[in-house]
Amino acid sequence: MAATVVSANGHQGDLERIKEAAKIVEGGGLVAFPTETVYGIACRVERSTLARLDQIKGRDASKHYTVHIGQLDEYRNYVQRVGMRAEKLIRRAWPGPLTLVFELDGAEIGEHRKRVGNDAADIIYKDGSIGIRCPDHPVASLLLRMADCPVIAPSANRAGREPAATADNVVAQLRDDIDLILDGGPCKYARSSTVAAVGSHEIRLLREGVFSAAELRRMSEIAFLFVCTGNTCRSAMAEGFFRRDLAEKIGCDVDEVATRGYKVLSAGTMRMVGVPASTESVAACALKGVDIGSHVSRPLTRPLIDDSDCIYCMTRAHREQVLDLSPDAEPKCHLLARDHEIPDPIGQSQEYFNRCASQIEAAVKVRISELAL
């Protein structure tokens, strides 16, 4: 029997139609629906329904399925811990044309197995990973939110043929084999989503789609900013120590930190430009194996604040100056040393600078240990 084609754009009048579509999916039926990329086939995560789907598509049953979610935060139902870069990418790219493949360890999968059940877990967690997508289309969002079950949704086409970008394309390929087609008009992009793997300390492009590799890097880059007065001693030393310890934590050379998606900067509230780090600061860092000889001062500005994800200040006064420039920075702006200020060493002896460097280094190690990367 040919599938019914129902017009649905996600407007108020479509609610009942999409509810009925969700019931079909819950009952084990197959429903084609629009996304911003291509049309997908909504399918409940259960073996009999998936066997039917694989047969219709001519799809290799060993291939991975991607769970589709209707609301951004639903990914937490399937993934326990997400690093800072992945979290930022999710917030900037979802809902949208990006599929993320999260690499998980056995313990994490075991926890989710208890929640979704063994059969569903065997289907959606394969080779230590799970693929998740949050489409940016009102019909897709409503359908996935209303279906009271995990849903996978491969593209609505037969294997070897182009994914359908319109309901007519779905009708031409699959009308006699599925249960319902929600016609939401042409898809915005008419091309597949970008696919990226989220692993330990890295994000790898698996398939370029709507988003390029450069766009993924830009959307997921994490910026750390250290603030003092002149940006020639305290914040310069903190930047050097932080970059060294961050490299150690993510397992790369210091010079590779930026290419791994992390930016480490420092700035001064005095707004001095191009002044080198003080001789005493360079010497204090050198004693600890950190080279800040090429450092030059940078002024603290609102764009710099707004573009940073974590801001660490030497004193409360510095923090107040940051918030004067950008009040919205309050949640991400902290004292570097949580319970005390780090005093200015300018004009003091080399020994004083060395003690200051040790204090900063200790505070940096604590901050690094707190980061979920």
Side-chain angles (χ1 to χ4, degrees), residues 22-176:
K23 289 180 182 176
I24 291 172
V25 174
E26 290 174 14
L30 302 178
V31 174
F33 67 100
T35 75
E36 78 283 19
T37 55
V38 296
Y39 275 71
I41 305 175
C43 174
R44 180 175 184 142
V45 177
E46 63 178 11
R47 294 193 182 279
S48 60
T49 308
L50 290 171
R52 178 189 170 199
L53 175 66
D54 288 339
Q55 183 176 19
I56 290 168
K57 280 181 61 70
R59 189 173 192 261
D60 183 348
S62 66
K63 290 183 70 175
H64 286 218
Y65 300 101
T66 298
V67 174
H68 282 55
I69 57 177
Q71 298 180 96
L72 185 151
D73 283 337
E74 285 181 34
Y75 78 89
R76 298 183 189 281
N77 293 335
Y78 303 97
V79 182
Q80 276 185 305
R81 292 181 293 275
V82 173
M84 292 179 72
R85 286 191 67 206
E87 182 73 32
K88 185 171 183 178
L89 183 57
I90 287 168
R91 297 295 168 186
R92 297 190 71 177
W94 279 0
L98 175 66
T99 298
L100 291 177
V101 179
F102 296 91
E103 298 172 356
L104 310 175
D105 61 31
E108 289 178 289
I109 294 175
E111 286 299 314
H112 290 290
R113 183 176 291 278
K114 296 174 187 176
R115 188 185 63 79
V116 302
N118 286 331
D119 284 348
D122 287 343
I123 292 165
I124 60 178
Y125 294 99
K126 283 197 173 184
D127 300 327
S129 68
I130 181 171
I132 303 178
R133 170 152 145 68
C134 183
D136 185 18
H137 192 288
V139 173
S141 179
L142 284 169
L143 176 65
L144 295 167
R145 285 159 59 189
M146 290 178 180
D148 189 21
C149 58
V151 174
I152 59 99
S155 56
N157 60 288
R158 298 194 191 278
R161 297 185 62 178
E162 286 294 312
T166 67
D168 287 344
N169 296 152
V170 181
V171 169
Q173 294 191 52
L174 299 169
R175 183 168 189 173
D176 292 337

Side-chain angles (χ1 to χ4, degrees), residues 82 91 96 113 121 148 183-184 226 249 280 318 347 353 361-362 369:
V82 173
R91 297 295 168 186
R113 183 176 291 278
D148 189 21
D183 183 356
F226 297 87
K249 180 157 184 167
E280 296 87 353
H318 294 136
F353 269 85
E361 182 182 38
S369 72

Side-chain angles (χ1 to χ4, degrees), residues 249-266:
K249 180 157 184 167
I250 63 177
C252 71
D253 292 335
V254 171
D255 293 340
E256 296 177 324
V257 166
T259 61
R260 292 292 191 95
Y262 299 95
K263 187 186 294 184
V264 185
L265 303 169
S266 59

Side-chain angles (χ1 to χ4, degrees), residues 224 226 238-246 264 364 368 371:
F224 299 96
F226 297 87
E239 177 186 341
F241 291 136
F242 192 92
R243 186 177 288 109
R244 178 200 64 188
D245 292 353
L246 179 60
V264 185
V364 162
I368 288 280
L371 299 176

